[in-house]
Amino acid sequence: NAGVTQTPKFRVLKTGQSMTLLCAQDMNHEYMYWYRQDPGMGLRLIHYSVGEGTTAKGEVPDGYNVSRLKKQNFLLGLESAAPSQTSVYFCASSVGLAGYNEQFFGPGTRLTVL
Amino acid sequence: LAKTTQPISMDSYEGQEVNITCSHNNIATNDYITWYQQFPSQGPRFIIQGYKTKVTNEVASLFIPADRKSSTLSLPRVSLSDTAVYYCLVGGSSGGYQKVTFGTGTKLQVIP
C-alpha cells in the first residue's frame, strides 16, 4: 500500500516549456487535489477533482490544467512554464471534501523554472 | 475564503505542553478546522479535526471556542521528534465548490 505517489520528485524547466506532473493513489479515494507550496504562504489549492472524469478550479488555477481520466490518477499540466511557477507541488487524496476529511499527501515535486 | 493567521515560530523544551493558536475571524458556519504536521521534504500529515468545543485523540487536543474565530492545537509533553511545521486548515464547501484555506504555518522547534 504505497498511499499517494508523485512523479517526478524534481524537475528543472526553461521558461515556455511544458510538463506534466503525475499523481497516483491506491486508496480508492474519490477526491484528489493539487496544491502548491511557496515559502511563507502555506499551501494553496490549484485544482481538485471529486471523481473520475471531473475537475474543478481551486484558489490559484491560472497557468495550470488537470485531468482525471482514471480514478487513481490525477495529472497536473503546465503548458508554458513561467518562473512564477517555481514551487513545491503536492498532490493529496481523500474520501470526501478536503475541509471535512483527512487528506493524504504525496511527497511533493520540486519544480524550478528558469 | 477564510483568512487564517498563525505565529511564524515557537520554541519549547522537551516534555512541555505546547499550544499553537490559529486565528480565523471570518470562518463560515459550515467550515471545519483541521491541523496538519509537516516535516522537511515531506507532505503534510493529518493530526486532528474539529468543529467546536474540544476534540482529543492519541496525539493532540484541539480547542475551539464558541465563536469559532480561533482554534488551539495542544501537544502534550513534546519530544524532539515533534519539531516540525504545523498548519491549520479551514475548509468546507460553498455553492457546491470546495473551500480550503491553509494557514502560513508555525515552525515548532523542540529544545532538549
Side-chain angles (χ1 to χ4, degrees):
Chain A
N1 189 340
V4 179
T5 58
Q6 294 183 230
T7 308
K9 289 185 170 52
F10 303 93
R11 185 72 186 267
V12 178
L13 290 178
K14 294 181 179 179
T15 297
Q17 288 185 319
S18 63
M19 79 163 294
T20 300
L21 306 183
L22 171 63
C23 175
Q25 55 96 4
D26 61 4
M27 295 173 283
N28 202 35
H29 287 167
E30 290 291 339
Y31 291 71
M32 296 188 74
Y33 313 87
W34 276 107
Y35 293 91
R36 60 177 291 173
Q37 185 174 40
D38 301 295
M41 298 189 72
L43 287 89
R44 292 181 292 168
L45 182 63
I46 304 171
H47 286 281
Y48 65 98
S49 169
V50 301
E52 182 178 313
T54 75
T55 62
K57 294 180 179 180
E59 182 185 355
V60 288
D62 294 342
Y64 306 95
N65 57 75
V66 288
S67 64
R68 183 99 181 268
L69 299 179
K70 293 182 178 181
K71 185 177 183 179
Q72 64 268 33
N73 296 336
F74 196 28
L75 278 63
L76 178 71
L78 287 74
E79 291 186 346
S80 179
S84 61
Q85 294 177 304
T86 293
S87 187
V88 180
Y89 292 85
F90 287 99
C91 176
S93 70
S94 61
V95 298
L97 285 172
Y100 306 137
N101 296 275
E102 176 180 357
Q103 295 180 81
F104 294 83
F105 284 84
T109 295
R110 185 173 295 275
L111 174 65
T112 301
V113 182
L114 302 176
Chain B
L1 293 176
K3 178 177 169 58
T4 59
T5 305
Q6 302 177 232
I8 294 175
S9 64
M10 298 178 68
D11 291 340
S12 176
Y13 287 102
E14 265 192 302
Q16 288 189 329
E17 178 184 72
V18 171
N19 295 309
I20 305 173
T21 297
C22 179
S23 172
H24 29 78
N25 289 324
N26 58 340
I27 188 170
T29 302
N30 64 350
D31 286 345
Y32 275 62
I33 300 149
T34 311
W35 284 81
Y36 286 84
Q37 176 191 56
Q38 186 179 29
F39 297 111
S41 301
Q42 294 185 23
R45 185 173 67 177
F46 175 91
I47 302 174
I48 197 166
Q49 183 182 73
Y51 182 78
K52 61 180 179 181
T53 63
K54 177 183 176 181
V55 179
T56 298
N57 62 21
E58 63 275 10
V59 298
S61 294
L62 177 60
F63 300 92
I64 305 169
D67 66 6
R68 304 199 328 120
K69 293 185 177 182
S70 66
S71 58
T72 299
L73 173 71
S74 181
L75 304 173
R77 299 178 299 282
V78 294
S79 64
L80 295 176
S81 63
D82 293 316
T83 293
V85 179
Y86 293 83
Y87 292 94
C88 68
L89 179 154
V90 174
S93 65
S94 176
Y97 288 94
Q98 173 82 77
K99 297 188 308 172
V100 173
T101 303
F102 273 90
T104 51
T106 299
K107 187 171 184 179
L108 172 65
Q109 180 69 50
V110 179
I111 306 164

